[in-house]
Amino acid sequence: MVSYDWVCETNGVLTRAERSTVRTGMRKFLLETIGDFITWPMNRPRSTETLVPEFPDAEVASAAVEMSKKQGTTLLFHGYRTWLLGTALTQADHTEVDAELLFVTALLHDSGMLVSVPGEDFTRRSADTVLEVFDRAGAPRRRALEAADAVVAHATPGLDRSTDPIGYYVQGGAMADLAGIRRWDPPSGATGQGYALYPSHDIHRTLSALARRNAEELPDGRMALLAPKPLGKALRLALNFSTG
């Protein structure tokens, strides 16, 4: 349920067992978030170093930047903040990931939301865009499919970073951006610098509306389970103090 092949075969329609898996992932995600938040005062990073990485110097990254501009400023800046925060989380976790794949996937993970296609999970369209980027750059198909899998995976709660580190950190960066989750883990100032470079541009209202639309277009898909949930809004209100 976290691969490009799966979303192509099913368009994102969940079986009963898959719906149960999503709900289990939601519970796991909630429990881990609460646990992290409770232990945060004891484990808060003491470094004040900011963690803004350099753009990957590769043709596929340049192609992703050009493609991402078609999203409009709101989703474009969300993509950049997802990349910045996702990278900061890899550093906080002392985890090495493929920087190029994380960059491309983060920039374009929500791009499919801009087009309305009833009966289809938006991540299929996002993944198709990522595949096009790799194809334009002449990059290996293997790497393109790895990025496409991560795009599809990022919308599934409860990911394991050991099995899908790109999907895990795109999801982590996006949730840090949208709901304040794990913003307490990177050194102080990392989030603020990300927002200084790429302001929010009303991302919460915009993305909430797009997620609800996808939930309506695919009532048996993941967004139908995730979009109505108040978790993100509640945590964002509770954790906003950690954005400094």
Side-chain angles (χ1 to χ4, degrees):
M1 194 181 48
V2 294
S3 72
Y4 179 66
D5 283 345
W6 168 79
V7 82
C8 287
E9 292 171 2
T10 66
N11 275 338
V13 175
L14 300 173
T15 64
R16 179 179 297 181
E18 288 168 343
R19 286 195 294 272
S20 177
T21 298
V22 171
R23 292 190 180 100
T24 298
M26 292 166 65
R27 289 192 291 271
K28 175 186 175 184
F29 178 80
L30 177 59
L31 290 173
E32 288 179 351
T33 299
I34 292 173
D36 286 347
F37 181 61
I38 290 173
T39 59
W40 162 70
M42 295 178 288
N43 300 323
R44 181 179 176 87
R46 300 189 182 280
S47 172
T48 58
E49 176 189 3
T50 54
L51 298 175
V52 177
E54 295 182 358
F55 286 5
D57 184 17
E59 188 172 348
V60 69
S62 298
V65 169
E66 290 305 310
M67 184 71 78
S68 68
K69 294 175 182 178
K70 299 179 180 180
Q71 299 176 99
T73 302
T74 300
L75 283 188
L76 173 64
F77 281 13
H78 168 58
Y80 276 113
R81 292 193 306 273
T82 295
W83 166 61
L84 291 171
L85 292 168
T87 301
L89 290 174
T90 70
Q91 295 176 353
D93 292 342
H94 306 288
T95 300
E96 292 188 8
V97 301
D98 188 309
E100 180 183 83
L101 290 182
L102 181 60
F103 179 77
V104 173
T105 306
L107 253 60
L108 296 165
H109 71 281
D110 281 336
S111 58
M113 282 191 167
L114 293 172
V115 179
S116 176
V117 181
E120 182 179 273
D121 188 293
F122 79 92
T123 62
R124 178 174 184 173
R125 303 187 292 276
S126 297
D128 284 338
T129 299
V130 166
L131 290 175
E132 182 180 348
V133 164
F134 278 82
D135 186 59
R136 287 185 180 184
R141 183 69 174 178
R142 173 189 57 79
R143 290 180 59 74
L145 289 172
E146 187 176 350
D149 285 346
V151 166
V152 175
H154 96 272
T156 301
L159 295 179
D160 186 336
R161 75 183 181 206
S162 66
T163 58
D164 185 2
I166 302 300
Y168 178 88
Y169 284 108
V170 170
Q171 181 185 95
M175 292 305 296
D177 183 34
L178 298 172
I181 296 171
R182 289 202 67 190
R183 284 191 189 171
W184 50 83
D185 284 335
S188 176
T191 301
Q193 188 165 356
Y195 273 85
L197 291 169
Y198 305 106
S200 65
H201 282 279
D202 204 23
I203 183 60
H204 298 100
R205 187 187 305 274
T206 299
L207 206 57
S208 292
L210 292 173
R212 287 194 300 270
R213 185 177 75 178
N214 193 242
E216 293 169 358
E217 292 167 348
L218 191 66
D220 293 322
R222 290 172 293 177
M223 283 300 105
L225 294 175
L226 299 173
K229 302 300 178 181
L231 172 63
K233 182 177 180 181
L235 286 173
R236 186 170 68 253
L237 291 173
L239 305 176
N240 264 348
F241 74 91
S242 65
T243 60

